[in-house]
Amino acid sequence: MSNKWKFFWAASLIFVVFFQACGMHSWEELIIGKDDEKKMGREFDSLIKVGDKSVMQAGEYIFTPQTPEQTTLYDYLQARAKSIINVISKDDLEGILPSSSVCGSNGKQKCTKDNFFEFKIISSKTKNAFAVPGGYIYFYTEILKDFQTESELSSVLGHEIGHVVLHHSRDRMVKSAGASAIISVFLGDGIAGLIGLLGANFWLTKNGQEDESASDAIAFVYTDKIGISSKGLGDFFGRALKTYNKVDETCDLKEEGSWTDVFSTHPPSCKRVMDNNERIAKAKSGQTLTSHPRDVNYVNGKSYKQLVDEAKL
């Protein structure tokens, strides 16, 4: 064997050992690690807080409850999110929790499942919700008003958490930036430079069909585990489809199989609705399109829609 090949195999062995020793599972994680994702999310959130024009449109601002009814709705959203976080698998949690970054409102705590995620509301006429690396998830008031049931809210919450757990933003970032990502992280300006390279609005663009489908699937797992009907995802996206039949929960795949941009980062399609119905049909928990054996009770006897109406967002 020539010296050239000896060097190649030796270097490959060293790389594999390094890759495994660091607990990395993908090339994307080698370039942008979990601590990098958390830092990136904090930087994005700081832009949101100050109303930076690159991520906030005119008139948009961070929503804070002003009335008892709004506080009830806000707390309800946080409680539903926490219930989902509690059923995330140990392996998935290990895959997102950074080792050296800090979390929590004071930014001084070690990251745990209880303080890693942050759920915030943006007052806006835009019907959207999105997630960025590091566990930061945002819901616009308009989409909160559009949800009709607890199941719809929880399904989309689980979907956004799924984007974080599956590192979709990070992976899209590496694919978009290519070699520039490596230079920025390892040799250049760090994550701040990468954000500048991609643009702050990178996270506001819609995900691809594969990522959306994967997040739909993980949202089903979460809602099923916490005892909330998983049909909300199909109900929510179905309303945007011309051929959606509310009676049998179906739509026309031939006519509406493409992904349109009705909900910005959440393009609906008939296939998403039908895929979700199929998951429910195969659910081992026993849930169906009409019921779930462990249905969660409403808050103080009130439905989600009642809470939203009383909050007057």
Side-chain angles (χ1 to χ4, degrees):
M1 183 182 293
S2 67
N3 290 334
K4 179 177 68 175
W5 283 107
K6 287 180 181 179
F7 175 80
F8 171 78
W9 287 114
S12 298
L13 178 61
I14 291 172
F15 176 78
V16 169
V17 171
F18 171 77
F19 196 74
Q20 293 179 338
C22 292
M24 296 176 181
H25 303 90
S26 67
W27 289 97
E28 290 85 1
E29 187 178 348
L30 175 63
I31 297 172
I32 299 176
K34 291 177 286 188
D35 286 286
D36 296 326
E37 287 189 83
K38 191 63 184 178
K39 179 182 177 182
M40 189 163 23
R42 282 199 303 268
E43 292 184 4
F44 184 94
D45 190 58
S46 66
L47 296 178
I48 291 286
K49 288 178 179 176
V50 299
D52 191 284
K53 293 181 180 179
S54 62
V55 295
M56 298 279 270
Q57 297 181 26
E60 292 182 343
Y61 57 89
I62 288 291
F63 171 85
T64 55
Q66 301 297 318
T67 66
E69 291 79 10
Q70 291 180 353
T71 299
T72 297
L73 178 64
Y74 181 84
D75 291 344
Y76 175 80
L77 172 67
Q78 300 297 328
R80 289 280 68 78
K82 186 175 182 180
S83 67
I84 293 174
I85 293 168
N86 286 336
V87 299
I88 298 176
S89 71
K90 181 180 178 182
D91 288 343
D92 283 346
L93 282 172
E94 290 179 351
I96 59 175
L97 293 180
S99 56
S100 60
S101 289
V102 291
C103 294
S105 57
N106 60 10
K108 297 180 180 179
Q109 300 169 316
K110 180 181 178 181
C111 292
T112 67
K113 73 172 184 178
D114 294 319
N115 65 17
F116 174 75
F117 286 96
E118 293 191 31
F119 299 87
K120 302 184 179 183
I121 299 173
I122 297 175
S123 182
S124 173
K125 296 298 183 182
T126 301
K127 191 181 299 183
N128 200 13
F130 66 97
V132 299
Y136 295 87
I137 294 174
Y138 306 89
F139 276 74
Y140 291 118
T141 50
E142 194 67 19
I143 200 172
L144 291 178
K145 291 190 290 184
D146 198 54
F147 296 143
Q148 299 296 309
T149 63
E150 181 179 52
S151 175
E152 292 185 17
L153 168 72
S154 297
S155 293
V156 177
L157 265 171
H159 177 95
E160 294 304 333
I161 291 173
H163 278 311
V164 174
V165 168
L166 298 173
H167 303 279
H168 286 157
S169 290
R170 179 200 67 189
D171 294 352
R172 284 195 302 125
M173 186 184 313
V174 173
K175 291 174 183 176
S176 298
S180 298
I182 301 175
I183 295 172
S184 180
V185 174
F186 285 139
L187 305 176
D189 299 323
I191 295 302
L194 190 55
I195 290 178
L197 173 70
L198 293 166
N201 279 320
F202 173 82
W203 289 280
L204 300 178
T205 58
K206 69 178 181 179
N207 292 285
Q209 181 172 347
E210 184 177 345
D211 287 353
E212 289 292 279
S213 297
S215 287
D216 286 352
I218 205 169
F220 164 79
V221 172
Y222 294 154
T223 50
D224 193 43
K225 281 186 176 181
I226 64 177
I228 291 180
S229 170
S230 305
K231 73 185 291 287
L233 187 131
D235 289 342
F236 178 62
F237 291 122
R239 286 201 300 276
L241 303 174
K242 297 178 181 178
T243 63
Y244 182 63
N245 186 324
K246 293 182 180 180
V247 177
D248 60 9
E249 317 283 345
T250 62
C251 48
D252 190 331
L253 278 168
K254 292 183 179 179
E255 184 173 340
E256 300 194 271
S258 62
W259 287 53
T260 55
D261 207 10
V262 177
F263 289 109
S264 187
T265 59
H266 294 78
S269 76
C270 183
K271 188 175 187 306
R272 294 182 77 171
V273 174
M274 300 306 289
D275 284 348
N276 197 60
N277 288 352
E278 186 176 351
R279 295 184 194 103
I280 293 173
K282 296 178 179 178
K284 295 181 180 179
S285 65
Q287 77 158 300
T288 66
L289 286 173
T290 57
S291 66
H292 193 293
R294 299 188 308 277
D295 239 347
V296 172
N297 293 324
Y298 292 145
V299 176
N300 298 326
K302 294 181 179 180
S303 68
Y304 170 78
K305 190 59 178 173
Q306 285 176 298
L307 296 179
V308 172
D309 291 343
E310 291 177 359
K312 298 179 180 178
L313 299 176

